[in-house]
Amino acid sequence: MEQNIQLARHGLFDARVPRYTSYPTSPHFSADVGHETFVNWISAIPEGRQISLYVHVPFCRRLCWFCACRTQGTTSDAPVRAYLEVLKAEIELLRATLPKGVTLERLHWGGGTPTLLAPDMMTELAEAIYSVAPLAPDGEFSVEIDPNEIDDARLDALAKAGMNRASIGVQDFDPEIQKTIGREQSYELTESAITAIRARGIASLNADILYGLPHQTPEKITQSVQKLLSLSPDRVALYGYAHVPWMARRQNMIPEEALPSPQERLALFEVARKLFEWDGYTAVGIDHFALPSDGLSIAQKAGRLRRNFQGYTEDTSDVLIGLGASSISRFPQGYTQNAAATSQHIAAIRGGNFSTKKGHSFSANDKLRGRLIEVLMCDFKIDTGQIAKEFGLPKAEILLLIEPVASQFSDVVSLSNGVLKIPPAFRPLTRVISRAFDAYALSKTGHSSAV
């Protein structure tokens, strides 16, 4: 009870704070960064460097009501094939700009539903990408797979293209919850998809599951997690459902009266967390769980865990290029984002330009604060000495940023010998504490609740 009082005192149950998959967060990107900046930052990549590439496919056969991603529905392949041609043109623009010898440390296809691409489209897209930047020998190629939108032919095409990690969206297995969120997907269908994936030698499997959904109870999330555990994914993302109908109008289909309270959300998370840990998974950051043999667990143990737009990652590349509508790129110099509207993105590419609509150039202060937030989100601690060494700054300068935060949260964090730590009992407050390092005014739009 005392713990909940302290959590409430610091705003856990009513605060709206970013997920901090970037710093600053995307609502603070501006139109000052455009096509020319994007081209310059790509050109500045050293020859022979390993980078990461994200490809966004914004189409879905159905629009799930819980989803707040940039997607659009389609019942035919025609707009998807047209979009593929635009992606190929965008890749050719990249070819003309990218320095020689660049290879891919990570390649990820997301969406939307990238698996609605027909097999020949998957092959075309992979070949176009590899003709510009091949996958490194130890590179990872992951794809978000919808069990409702996959078959043997498409899995064969993905395996032949080199996919070696699959990501399955589960959300919840309870039929009532699935119907309420517009995402009907049986356990049997999910199991069949995973069996087919593994039959092709693709051993690495991610799964996403949500807490805070309508009609969700501790009993229901227990059943869903146990079913998921029976499928033995290598890593699991346990995300909190963010109800933001002012941003994603389709969420108005979800009855707000059926949503759990913030306190109930935390209880749901704790039930799921304990189940994953009891089954031998390592807690990674605030919302991921991984087997000890998985790369995320290994990276966390070695202090190499990072955070990007896909969440927690062991990807150490300092360049992530996003292709497709609304995709975000990260460079050592800052962020860029493509036009969110598919029509605007297509028009720009057909006109011979990248569709960069906005972005942000890092200041020295951005880099420092962003790194403080990242290590806090990844390691639940900030070592002043390590940060000072990393940035070539006096330790006292780092302490000037850390001490006020330690004072503000004195009852839930510790500061000793220059190391700020969040103990396990108060890690639900990590995003709230991270916000104290954020120099930008918070915007309600696009920000989710703290739990």
Side-chain angles (χ1 to χ4, degrees):
M1 178 62 71
E2 177 59 29
Q3 177 190 350
N4 276 2
I5 291 173
Q6 288 173 288
L7 294 174
R9 182 185 303 131
H10 290 290
L12 179 68
F13 301 124
D14 53 19
R16 290 196 173 272
V17 292
R19 294 187 185 277
Y20 286 117
T21 53
S22 71
Y23 180 79
T25 56
S26 57
H28 299 292
F29 293 179
S30 75
D32 294 339
V33 173
H35 166 82
E36 184 176 344
T37 303
F38 184 55
V39 170
N40 290 338
W41 287 353
I42 293 175
S43 301
I45 298 170
E47 291 187 3
R49 177 64 61 87
Q50 284 193 356
I51 67 169
S52 295
L53 188 71
Y54 171 78
V55 180
H56 186 64
V57 179
F59 297 97
C60 294
R61 295 292 183 211
R62 56 180 181 170
L63 294 178
C64 304
W65 302 332
F66 74 90
C67 181
C69 297
R70 295 280 186 177
T71 59
Q72 58 193 86
T74 180
T75 56
S76 73
D77 282 349
V80 184
R81 288 192 177 277
Y83 184 77
L84 173 62
E85 293 305 309
V86 173
L87 277 177
K88 288 160 63 178
E90 190 176 6
I91 291 167
E92 286 304 307
L93 289 175
L94 186 61
R95 183 198 300 277
T97 312
L98 199 65
K100 296 178 181 179
V102 169
T103 58
L104 300 180
E105 180 177 343
R106 295 286 189 278
L107 171 61
H108 183 76
W109 292 2
T113 309
T115 51
L116 60 67
L117 294 171
D120 63 302
M121 288 191 272
M122 292 175 170
T123 300
E124 279 187 48
L125 179 56
E127 289 178 349
I129 292 169
Y130 293 153
S131 71
V132 174
L135 194 66
D138 59 347
E140 181 180 282
F141 173 22
S142 58
V143 179
E144 294 175 14
I145 293 176
D146 181 353
N148 289 284
E149 196 65 47
I150 197 65
D151 53 31
D152 286 339
R154 283 179 281 188
L155 279 177
D156 287 340
L158 289 172
K160 187 176 180 181
M163 180 181 76
N164 50 23
R165 180 175 288 278
S167 182
I168 297 279
V170 171
Q171 323 319 337
D172 194 286
F173 284 120
D174 182 81
E176 181 188 19
I177 293 174
Q178 288 185 353
K179 186 175 181 179
T180 305
I181 66 174
R183 171 75 176 224
E184 296 185 46
Q185 176 183 314
S186 69
Y187 170 82
E188 290 75 20
L189 180 66
T190 306
E191 181 185 36
S192 176
I194 290 174
T195 299
I197 289 167
R198 288 178 168 152
R200 287 160 174 79
I202 301 161
S204 299
L205 179 72
N206 300 0
D208 295 349
I209 191 167
L210 295 177
Y211 69 93
L213 291 171
H215 303 300
Q216 205 172 43
T217 64
E219 292 75 21
K220 287 184 176 182
I221 200 168
T222 295
Q223 293 172 4
S224 289
V225 169
Q226 288 176 334
K227 286 181 178 180
L228 179 58
L229 287 170
S230 74
L231 302 174
S232 301
D234 297 272
R235 67 179 68 161
V236 178
L238 175 62
Y239 292 131
Y241 166 63
H243 192 63
V244 286
W246 58 87
M247 188 179 95
R249 284 181 293 178
R250 71 189 74 166
Q251 289 187 352
N252 284 309
M253 300 290 290
I254 294 177
E256 291 191 2
E257 66 275 10
L259 294 172
S261 69
Q263 291 81 359
E264 290 168 337
R265 282 171 60 94
L266 179 60
L268 290 168
F269 174 85
E270 286 299 313
V271 167
R273 177 188 65 80
K274 289 176 182 177
L275 289 170
F276 286 122
E277 292 184 339
W278 284 341
D279 215 58
Y281 285 75
T282 300
V284 177
I286 64 170
D287 53 17
H288 280 53
F289 299 85
L291 293 174
S293 58
D294 185 77
L296 275 189
S297 292
I298 294 169
Q300 178 176 252
K301 189 174 182 180
R304 294 185 286 101
L305 189 65
R306 304 302 297 265
R307 192 156 171 83
N308 65 16
F309 293 104
Q310 278 78 58
Y312 288 103
T313 179
E314 68 271 43
D315 181 4
T316 57
S317 174
D318 60 358
V319 174
L320 168 64
I321 295 177
L323 301 179
S326 78
S327 287
I328 298 177
S329 301
R330 173 176 176 144
F331 301 89
Q333 300 93 331
Y335 298 112
T336 63
Q337 184 169 17
N338 293 345
T342 304
S343 58
Q344 291 181 13
H345 173 75
I346 289 173
I349 300 300
R350 286 177 175 169
N353 292 316
F354 291 107
S355 76
T356 313
K357 194 75 172 178
K358 58 183 179 178
H360 181 85
S361 296
F362 292 142
S363 66
N365 191 49
D366 289 335
K367 292 181 179 181
L368 176 57
R369 288 179 180 271
R371 184 64 178 139
L372 292 174
I373 290 171
E374 183 179 45
V375 296
L376 195 62
M377 294 284 290
C378 290
D379 305 325
F380 304 112
K381 67 177 183 179
I382 299 174
D383 186 324
T384 304
Q386 288 183 359
I387 296 296
K389 183 177 179 181
E390 183 177 338
F391 284 85
L393 295 171
K395 187 176 177 179
E397 188 170 331
I398 311 300
L399 280 170
L400 285 175
L401 292 174
I402 291 179
E403 286 175 340
V405 177
S407 177
Q408 180 181 348
F409 296 94
S410 60
D411 57 333
V412 295
V413 304
S414 65
L415 178 59
S416 178
N417 297 319
V419 180
L420 178 75
K421 291 183 179 180
I422 306 175
F426 298 111
R427 287 176 182 174
L429 282 167
T430 300
R431 284 164 53 205
V432 176
I433 297 169
S434 295
R435 181 176 61 175
F437 291 105
D438 192 334
Y440 294 85
L442 292 182
S443 164
K444 178 181 178 182
T445 304
H447 290 161
S448 58
S449 60
V451 293

